[in-house]
Amino acid sequence: MVSRGKRIRRNVSAVFQIAASGIAPHEPILPPERHPAEHAAWVDRLSGKLRPTLPDAWSSLYEFPPAPARVAVLMHVFYTDLVPELCKQLANIPVPFDLIVTNASGEELELPLHGIPLVGHVAVLPVANHGRDILPLVEVVNAGLLDPYELVLKIHTKKSTWRAEHTELSGTGDAWRDSLYSTVLGSPENVEAVLGAFAEDPSVGIVTADADIVGTEFWGGDLVRTRELMRRLQLEVSEHDLRFASGSVYWIRGFLLQGLRAFAMDAEDFEPEAGQVDGTTAHAVERALGLVTTEAGYRIAGRTSLETTDAESWRRYQQDADRVPRARVVPFYLPQFHTFPENDQWWGPGFTEWSNVTAARPVFEGHNQPFLPSELGFYDLSVEGVRDRQYELARSAGLEGFMYYYYWFSGKKLMDMPVERLHAADGDQPFCLMWANENWSRRWDGSESSILIAQDYDEVPAEQFIDDVMHLLLDPRYIRVDGKPLIAVYKIAQLPDIRGTLSHWRRRAAEEGLPGLHIVTVDVGRELDGVDGDLGSYDIDAFLEFAPHNRRWSLIDRNDLDELDSRFDGHIMSYTEMARHSELVLREPVDPRRYPGVMVNFDNTARRQWRPDLWYGSNPYTFRRWLNSAISAVADREPEHRIVFVNAWNEWAESAVLEPSQRFGRTFLLAVRDALLS
C-alpha cells in the first residue's frame, strides 16, 4: 500500500548504482552520475512543450480505429519464433478485440491471424530493443493508443532463459511461458471466465497466474528506483508493502495502464539493454504498476481465485454491449476564459484566467506548476467550437454535464457569455447553475478585504436572482432532479432571509410552469457562510459537497519536500489523507439529502504564488479510488438522485482540472470513465 512518510533523500544516485550492479549495500562506492530515472533528473527534463500524439516512426503506420473494440491485446515481440504460438492462442478470445503489436525484433513481422475472426484493428509498430517490453508499453500508453479500451491483455514473446539457474524460482523459462499463456488464454472457456470475473467483480484490477503474484520478497534491487518513480505521482512507498504481477503477462483494467501516462516516462528513463534480470527501470515499473493498482482501489487476482455466478457475464465486453453511467457525475465549470471589461479594468487589458495560470512558478522540486493545458490549448470561450470539444470529452467519460459558476452581483452579471451562448445554441449540452454569491477580491478568496465587486443584497434583493436566470432554468437541457431544475447556492447563509428567498424562487418557478426547484447549498460550514442543522427549516433540498471545503486538512511538514523555495509562506496539505478520510466517511450511510463531492486537486499557486493553499499527492489513481467510493455511496438511491459533484472541470488556476493537461494528459478523465462505466 502506498503511504505518506518522511522522505529521506540522501545519496539516491549511489543507491541506484547498488541496485543495478548487485553490490551489497554495505560496500562503499563512489557516487556516480545520477540515474536518468531519479526524481531530480526527471524534473530537470520536464518541459512545457507539447508533443505530437504519435511518435514520428508511427505516424504513417497507425490510424486510430473509428469503432474500437472494448478489449485490446498489446503484444510485444522480440523472439519472432514465438509469434505463431501466440497468435494461435489469441483465437481463444471470445469477444471482438483490437491488436497492437510492438516489434523489437528488427525483422519484418508476419502475423498469422487467419482463423481469428474476432480480431479487428491491427497495428504493428516498430520499437527499439530498449526497456524490454515495458518501454514499448509506455510509448503506446503515452501515444494514447490504449485510451479506448476497458480491458487489455498484455502479453509478450517470453523466453527467460535465466530462470533455469535462478536460486529462488523453479522451472525453466519455457515452462514459465507456457504457464502464463495458458492462464490468460488457454481456451475460450478460460477467457470467458476471466472476462466474466472482470464483469462481475469491480474490485478485480489484474488477473494473472497465481504463482506469479509476488510481494516484498521480490523488491530485489528495485525498491529505491520504484520510490523515485512513485514520487512523480507524489506518493511514497513502504518497503513492507508490495504486491505485483511478475512475468508481465496479464489481463488488466485499461485505466491501470492508461494511467501510466501520469508518470511522464520516456526512453531516457530506461537503461540500455545488457541482459539485466533485476534493478532496472523496467523492473521498477512492474512493481509500480502493482502499487498503483492498489492505490486505484483494485486488487490483483490469481486465475484460480476467480468466481462468477453468471455464465454469460463475459458478454459485457462485446462491442455492442450497452454502458450506463453508475451515477450522475457533474463537475464544476469556470467561465473565466474570455476577456470582459471589468477584468480588463481590474487586472489589465486582455486578462483571462490563463494570465494567472501561465505566470505560476513551482515552489518545490517536482511541483506541478505552471499547470498547463494540452489538447484544448489556451482556449477562448468566445470562440465557437471550444464548448463543443469540451462536451465531447465530457461525454466520452460518462459525465452528466457541467455546473456553471454563475456570477450575479445585485443584478449585474459577469462571465455569463458562455452559458448564454450555450442556451442560444442547440447542441446536446446539459448544464445547471451554481450562484457563486461571494465577493470578488484581489486576493481571489471571496474575503471582505481588497474587494473588486461585492454582493449587496440591500441594493437588489436576492429574490430577483431567479428571474434573471429563469430562461436558463426553462431550457430543456437544464439538469433536473425529479423534473425540477437543480440550482446551487454557494454561500447561502449570506442571504438575509434564506427561507423567504427560496420560497419566492419556488413560487416563481411554478408560475413559469416548472414542477418546482431542486435547491442545494454548498457544504462550506458556518465560518464560510454556510448552514448546518435541519435543511428543511431553511427550505433547502440538499447539501452539495465541495472538497476541500469542510474536509480534513492534514498539514505536511515542509521539511519533507525537496528544494522548498525560501519565499514560500503558504500551506501544504495531504491529498492522500483527505481522500482516505473521505472514503472512511463514505463507507457509512450517506444522508439522502447530501450529494458527495470529490476534488481532482486544489493548488492556487497560480493566484497566490508564495502564499497558496495546496494539496500534495493528487494523481489519477488516488482520485479514481475516491471518486469510485463516492459513486458507490449513492448506488442505492433512485437513479435521478445518484449525483456526485467534482471540483472541477477547468479550474486551471486552482489545479482542479479534469480537462487534458500537459502533465497528466487525459488520465483524470479516464479515471472518471473507469469509475463510471467499467
Side-chain angles (χ1 to χ4, degrees):
M1 184 63 184
V2 178
S3 61
R4 259 214 63 82
K6 185 170 179 62
R7 179 175 301 123
I8 300 174
R9 191 160 166 212
R10 298 198 180 108
N11 193 343
V12 177
S13 294
V15 183
F16 269 140
Q17 188 183 59
I18 292 170
S21 65
I23 300 173
H26 63 269
E27 296 181 27
I29 59 173
L30 295 175
E33 295 183 6
R34 64 188 184 187
H35 189 281
E38 184 183 333
H39 188 259
W42 171 74
V43 170
D44 287 346
R45 296 202 310 273
L46 286 177
S47 167
K49 292 183 178 180
L50 289 172
R51 301 179 180 182
T53 302
L54 290 174
D56 290 343
W58 297 354
S59 59
S60 63
L61 300 174
Y62 190 85
E63 293 184 4
F64 287 88
R70 299 192 184 279
V71 174
V73 175
L74 179 61
M75 179 194 300
H76 179 67
V77 173
F78 180 73
Y79 299 108
T80 57
D81 57 309
L82 297 179
V83 169
E85 175 189 353
L86 260 182
C87 289
K88 182 179 179 180
Q89 285 272 14
L90 296 182
N92 293 307
I93 299 176
V95 296
F97 66 95
D98 295 335
L99 175 62
I100 301 172
V101 180
T102 53
N103 179 18
S105 70
E107 305 173 19
E108 289 290 326
L109 199 58
E110 294 291 333
L111 298 175
L113 297 176
H114 48 276
I116 309 180
L118 293 177
V119 66
H121 186 264
V122 178
V124 179
L125 306 173
V127 296
N129 180 27
H130 183 196
R132 307 296 170 86
D133 58 305
I134 301 298
L135 175 55
L137 161 65
V138 167
E139 292 173 331
V140 167
V141 166
N142 288 348
L145 307 193
L146 295 184
D147 285 0
Y149 304 106
E150 296 179 29
L151 290 182
V152 177
L153 170 61
K154 184 190 172 302
I155 199 162
H156 60 106
T157 58
K158 189 175 188 67
K159 290 194 173 180
S160 304
T161 55
W162 53 268
R163 185 157 176 139
E165 300 177 359
H166 200 283
T167 58
E168 298 180 22
L169 299 172
S170 61
T172 65
D174 289 347
W176 190 22
R177 179 181 68 251
D178 292 344
S179 171
L180 285 166
Y181 288 1
S182 63
T183 295
V184 298
L185 292 165
S187 69
E189 294 76 16
N190 183 61
V191 181
E192 287 176 9
V194 172
L195 298 182
F198 277 108
E200 293 185 30
D201 188 346
S203 73
V204 174
I206 297 177
V207 173
T208 191
D210 297 62
D212 292 303
I213 302 174
V214 296
T216 56
E217 69 277 15
F218 283 91
W219 271 124
D222 303 300
L223 174 59
V224 172
R225 196 159 302 172
T226 304
R227 281 176 167 163
E228 291 290 290
L229 287 177
M230 295 296 284
R231 284 182 62 192
R232 302 183 184 191
L233 302 188
Q234 298 181 349
L235 291 170
E236 298 260 334
V237 177
S238 168
E239 64 184 293
H240 304 295
D241 294 307
L242 178 66
R243 185 174 171 85
F244 74 101
S246 66
S248 201
V249 172
Y250 42 72
W251 283 95
I252 187 169
R253 301 271 181 189
F255 167 68
L256 294 173
L257 294 181
Q258 295 152 9
L260 294 178
R261 165 65 177 78
F263 283 89
M265 291 181 282
D266 57 28
E268 290 190 56
D269 286 306
F270 292 80
E271 307 84 352
E273 287 299 318
Q276 307 98 317
V277 298
D278 189 28
T280 69
T281 298
H283 291 96
V285 172
E286 288 183 311
R287 287 150 180 81
L289 183 58
L291 294 171
V292 296
T293 297
T294 304
E295 187 65 25
Y298 284 121
R299 65 186 179 92
I300 304 173
R303 169 63 187 90
T304 64
S305 71
L306 302 180
E307 296 181 356
T308 57
T309 58
D310 181 355
E312 300 297 310
S313 58
W314 60 272
R315 296 186 185 278
R316 176 176 175 80
Y317 298 103
Q318 295 280 16
Q319 195 159 1
D320 58 355
D322 289 335
R323 290 291 182 273
V324 177
R326 297 169 57 210
R328 306 173 74 186
V329 175
V330 181
F332 307 133
Y333 185 102
L334 178 70
Q336 193 169 215
F337 297 93
H338 62 94
T339 60
F340 55 94
E342 289 80 3
N343 262 353
D344 285 348
Q345 176 185 344
W346 295 329
W347 303 106
F351 177 90
T352 72
E353 192 76 348
W354 298 123
S355 306
N356 285 329
V357 170
T358 56
R361 296 294 176 263
V363 302
F364 59 85
E365 182 183 279
H367 187 197
N368 295 322
Q369 291 292 349
F371 191 58
L372 304 175
S374 57
E375 56 192 274
L376 292 180
F378 298 96
Y379 52 76
D380 181 343
L381 290 176
S382 68
V383 174
E384 292 299 325
V386 171
R387 190 182 65 252
D388 296 337
R389 294 174 66 195
Q390 290 176 320
Y391 270 92
E392 181 181 353
L393 284 169
R395 278 192 294 270
S396 73
L399 292 168
E400 177 85 1
F402 298 138
M403 176 171 273
Y404 281 72
Y405 297 140
Y406 197 85
Y407 297 93
W408 187 89
F409 300 86
S410 306
K412 182 178 180 59
K413 303 174 186 178
L414 295 180
M415 300 194 299
D416 60 326
M417 180 271 289
V419 75
E420 292 292 353
R421 287 196 177 179
L422 185 161
H423 172 64
D426 58 4
D428 179 18
Q429 298 178 349
F431 71 100
C432 56
L433 302 179
M434 178 194 293
W435 179 16
N437 64 323
E438 65 175 355
N439 299 330
W440 273 18
S441 75
R442 288 198 175 276
R443 295 179 54 186
W444 299 95
D445 59 2
S447 67
E448 297 295 326
S449 61
S450 303
I451 292 177
L452 299 171
I453 186 170
Q455 295 290 341
D456 188 341
Y457 304 103
D458 293 329
E459 180 181 350
V460 176
E463 286 82 353
Q464 182 176 315
F465 169 80
I466 203 68
D467 289 301
D468 285 357
V469 300
M470 187 63 72
H471 63 294
L472 300 175
L473 304 183
L474 292 168
D475 191 305
R477 297 163 298 177
Y478 196 95
I479 295 172
R480 300 163 189 261
V481 178
D482 298 329
K484 304 172 183 179
L486 167 65
I487 188 165
V489 181
Y490 185 38
K491 294 185 174 182
I492 204 163
Q494 286 190 1
L495 306 185
D497 178 6
I498 300 174
R499 188 174 184 88
T501 298
L502 302 189
S503 295
H504 173 80
W505 289 4
R506 295 183 193 278
R507 185 167 57 254
R508 285 292 299 118
E511 291 170 356
E512 294 294 331
L514 291 169
L517 296 174
H518 193 73
I519 303 173
V520 301
T521 185
V522 176
D523 181 16
V524 294
R526 279 201 174 274
E527 67 278 7
L528 289 178
D529 295 323
V531 296
D532 53 25
D534 178 21
L535 292 179
S537 64
Y538 300 102
D539 199 22
I540 300 170
D541 292 303
F543 272 125
L544 174 163
E545 293 183 355
F546 190 153
H549 290 303
N550 251 9
R551 290 292 170 269
R552 176 172 293 181
W553 292 26
S554 302
L555 284 170
I556 289 176
D557 189 335
R558 299 182 182 194
N559 295 322
D560 284 353
L561 298 176
D562 291 327
E563 307 296 333
L564 184 67
D565 196 292
S566 60
R567 293 169 288 183
F568 180 78
D569 191 30
H571 303 95
I572 303 174
M573 277 69 67
S574 171
Y575 182 93
T576 305
E577 280 302 303
M578 179 174 284
R580 185 192 65 80
H581 183 260
S582 297
E583 289 176 87
L584 290 176
V585 173
L586 289 167
R587 290 175 188 170
E588 301 297 325
V590 177
D591 188 326
R593 302 185 72 175
R594 175 175 291 272
Y595 297 120
V598 175
M599 75 176 187
V600 180
N601 193 12
F602 189 94
D603 174 359
N604 59 8
T605 299
R607 290 178 174 165
R608 303 182 64 178
Q609 187 52 56
W610 306 117
R611 301 189 65 187
D613 291 326
L614 68 90
W615 270 258
Y616 181 93
S618 169
N619 67 84
Y621 296 103
T622 310
F623 168 73
R624 185 264 168 206
R625 193 185 74 235
W626 184 2
L627 177 61
N628 183 67
S629 296
I631 292 170
S632 298
V634 299
D636 60 348
R637 300 181 182 180
E638 290 298 313
E640 289 222 354
H641 293 262
R642 296 174 192 165
I643 302 175
V644 174
F645 292 96
V646 175
N647 182 20
W649 174 259
N650 64 340
E651 276 275 17
W652 283 95
E654 294 178 353
S655 295
V657 177
L658 285 175
E659 288 180 329
S661 67
Q662 292 184 27
R663 175 63 187 83
F664 293 106
R666 291 190 180 189
T667 52
F668 281 99
L669 273 176
L670 293 167
V672 173
R673 187 186 70 183
D674 183 71
L676 269 178
L677 300 175
S678 289

